[in-house]
Amino acid sequence: MNEKKGAILILSGPSGCGKSTLLKEVYKDINDYYFSISTTTRAPRVGEVDGVDYFFVTKKEFEEDIKDDNFLEYALVHGNYYGTSLKPINKALDEKKLVIFDIDVQGHELVRNKLDSIVTSVFITTPSLKVLEDRLNSRNTDDKEVIENRVKNAKAEVEYFRDYDYLIINDNLEEASKQLVSIANIARIKTKLFSKESIVSSWL
Amino acid sequence: MNEKKGAILILSGPSGCGKSTLLKEVYKDINDYYFSISTTTRAPRVGEVDGVDYFFVTKKEFEEDIKDDNFLEYALVHGNYYGTSLKPINKALDEKKLVIFDIDVQGHELVRNKLDSIVTSVFITTPSLKVLEDRLNSRNTDDKEVIENRVKNAKAEVEYFRDYDYLIINDNLEEASKQLVSIANIARIKTKLFSKESIVSSWL
């Protein structure tokens, strides 16, 4: 009866909204997920692990996958390719996993339009721009210019929240975690994931 | 920023699927809900409580509310009126509560079409018709004819599961409860519940 395919969970939200922290809570609670990571031809930096931070491949491998139409999207930046390979995503969907994307609003549109899968999407924000700025400043890790750029992007991104299914306003970590865990828990029981035939036949 | 209205959660599923048991778990976990009950002009039976089992009203009151278009639906059965009054529903929505309906597939369509609110709907089933029959028989509370009728209705209802957002196959109470609680937890953070203006203005 459980003839269902894998499902997709998309998270978007400005840098500083707390996405990574919330995702850690989700991973404690759910099984059978695959977190989508990018593929790149640039060399690993110190501490970066293949299959964790990126899939590190050669330029030749990357270009063959471009030719075989194996990328959801890709870009050439300063001589290095970066892209989202469809191979691990399709493998995870075949294994009925929940495929999780942490992507921006353009990526959200791309996944919705290009992947023939059932998607649940979540937009995560801070309660206000002021709170976001304060969080970014208190991290003390980024240049003023980087922060200004992030704030500018955040203002542009938040305009698109209504293209998503759910909105999490992360002003309380416990509450926001509970909401995200709940969303992840039910992403795989959308009715559209079940074929009508498989359900109805067990009812004859 | 939290300028949202109340939301609606609709549960449907055949008699014997475990809806009432699952609902009890939801009530332990969520706040600010209103469970929709019917209004009737029939006399309360022993043990029935006004405002819990039904709203008990006079025929005159009922007919005035019909005239004022205050019913989602109503019917006259053996000389008594039964109906779903819009007054407590609209009050609960104004108070930003989660309004929960336990209704059949026709009721689901009615709520979707007649109430201008954000709806999440869940269809609950047993894994198979056989399991449903076994559960109804093991209850030992119903006539053979009543059970046969319920089974017939169940077969007709399950055909409509794809009109719902989520499907819970209740073959494990703990898992099914977790799923329903998760659905209830996030019914109030659908993006459509937030006005674009209210969010975007806190981001300027």
Side-chain angles (χ1 to χ4, degrees):
Chain A
M1 177 161 185
N2 274 292
E3 264 183 49
K4 48 180 178 169
K5 300 156 281 186
I8 289 175
L9 177 64
I10 299 177
L11 309 180
S12 299
S15 178
C17 72
K19 246 181 309 174
S20 321
T21 311
L22 291 174
L23 264 175
K24 277 184 202 141
E25 296 302 311
V26 171
Y27 296 153
K28 283 185 204 159
D29 205 81
I30 70 161
N31 302 310
D32 292 331
Y33 65 86
Y34 165 71
F35 181 74
S36 175
I37 58 173
S38 299
T39 299
T40 185
T41 59
R42 81 152 164 75
R45 289 176 194 148
V46 177
E48 282 185 341
V49 177
D50 183 43
V52 175
D53 300 289
Y54 286 93
F55 294 115
F56 295 102
V57 300
T58 64
K59 200 168 177 183
K60 188 164 168 276
E61 287 172 310
F62 203 106
E63 287 177 342
E64 268 168 19
D65 272 351
I66 293 175
K67 235 183 287 169
D68 294 342
D69 212 13
N70 276 333
F71 280 101
L72 179 64
E73 48 78 37
Y74 69 92
L76 189 62
V77 183
H78 303 308
N80 290 311
Y81 283 112
Y82 294 83
T84 308
S85 172
L86 290 170
K87 290 198 283 192
I89 294 168
N90 286 329
K91 182 170 171 283
L93 289 171
D94 285 346
E95 291 166 358
K96 299 181 184 181
K97 287 185 174 162
L98 180 65
V99 176
I100 302 175
F101 288 92
D102 173 358
I103 48 180
D104 64 11
V105 296
Q106 279 82 31
H108 171 242
E109 217 184 305
L110 203 63
V111 171
R112 283 248 181 226
N113 295 333
K114 280 214 177 176
L115 293 180
D116 179 31
S117 293
I118 307 301
V119 171
T120 302
S121 63
V122 191
F123 196 87
I124 303 170
T125 69
T126 52
S128 70
L129 186 63
K130 179 77 178 55
V131 172
L132 186 81
E133 282 179 314
D134 290 349
R135 282 196 201 163
L136 290 173
N137 283 316
S138 70
R139 280 182 180 180
N140 247 336
T141 52
D142 300 309
D143 292 345
K144 205 177 161 233
E145 203 184 319
V146 172
I147 291 179
E148 272 170 16
N149 204 36
R150 290 199 167 148
V151 167
K152 208 181 98 191
N153 287 342
K155 277 170 83 165
E157 287 222 335
V158 83
E159 293 270 350
Y160 292 88
F161 84 89
R162 280 193 148 230
D163 296 344
Y164 291 73
D165 298 315
Y166 296 102
L167 175 69
I168 294 180
I169 299 169
N170 184 10
D171 51 1
N172 173 309
L173 184 64
E174 198 187 337
E175 178 61 19
S177 298
K178 192 177 164 191
Q179 291 173 339
L180 190 58
V181 168
S182 290
I183 292 168
N185 269 331
I186 59 169
R188 276 182 289 196
I189 58 164
K190 285 205 161 185
T191 53
K192 304 295 174 286
L193 283 160
F194 299 83
S195 80
K196 184 161 180 180
E197 295 66 33
S198 70
I199 303 294
V200 172
S201 69
S202 77
W203 275 80
L204 297 179
Chain B
M1 180 162 183
N2 274 291
E3 263 183 51
K4 47 181 179 170
K5 301 158 280 187
I8 289 175
L9 177 65
I10 299 177
L11 309 179
S12 299
S15 178
C17 72
K19 244 180 312 173
S20 320
T21 311
L22 291 174
L23 264 176
K24 278 184 202 141
E25 296 303 311
V26 171
Y27 296 152
K28 283 186 206 159
D29 206 82
I30 69 161
N31 303 311
D32 292 331
Y33 65 85
Y34 164 72
F35 181 73
S36 174
I37 59 173
S38 299
T39 299
T40 185
T41 59
R42 81 152 164 75
R45 288 176 195 147
V46 177
E48 283 184 340
V49 177
D50 183 43
V52 176
D53 300 288
Y54 286 93
F55 294 114
F56 295 102
V57 298
T58 65
K59 201 168 175 183
K60 188 165 169 273
E61 289 171 308
F62 203 107
E63 288 176 342
E64 269 168 20
D65 272 350
I66 294 175
K67 235 182 287 170
D68 294 343
D69 211 13
N70 276 333
F71 280 102
L72 178 64
E73 48 79 38
Y74 70 92
L76 190 61
V77 183
H78 303 308
N80 290 311
Y81 283 112
Y82 294 83
T84 308
S85 172
L86 290 170
K87 289 196 283 190
I89 294 168
N90 286 329
K91 182 171 171 282
L93 289 171
D94 285 345
E95 291 165 0
K96 299 182 184 182
K97 288 186 173 160
L98 180 64
V99 176
I100 303 176
F101 288 91
D102 173 358
I103 47 178
D104 64 10
V105 296
Q106 279 81 32
H108 171 241
E109 218 184 305
L110 203 63
V111 172
R112 283 246 182 228
N113 295 334
K114 280 212 177 176
L115 292 181
D116 178 32
S117 293
I118 306 301
V119 171
T120 302
S121 63
V122 191
F123 196 87
I124 303 171
T125 69
T126 52
S128 70
L129 187 63
K130 179 77 177 61
V131 172
L132 185 81
E133 282 178 315
D134 290 350
R135 281 195 202 164
L136 289 173
N137 283 316
S138 70
R139 280 183 181 179
N140 248 333
T141 51
D142 299 310
D143 291 347
K144 206 177 159 234
E145 204 182 320
V146 172
I147 291 179
E148 273 170 18
N149 204 35
R150 290 199 166 150
V151 166
K152 210 180 95 190
N153 287 343
K155 279 171 81 165
E157 288 223 335
V158 83
E159 293 269 349
Y160 293 88
F161 83 89
R162 279 190 149 230
D163 296 343
Y164 291 73
D165 298 314
Y166 296 102
L167 175 68
I168 294 180
I169 299 169
N170 184 10
D171 50 0
N172 173 309
L173 184 64
E174 197 187 337
E175 178 61 18
S177 297
K178 192 177 163 188
Q179 290 173 340
L180 190 58
V181 168
S182 290
I183 292 168
N185 269 330
I186 59 169
R188 275 182 288 194
I189 57 164
K190 287 205 162 187
T191 53
K192 304 296 174 287
L193 282 161
F194 299 83
S195 80
K196 185 161 178 180
E197 295 65 33
S198 70
I199 304 295
V200 173
S201 69
S202 77
W203 275 80
L204 296 180

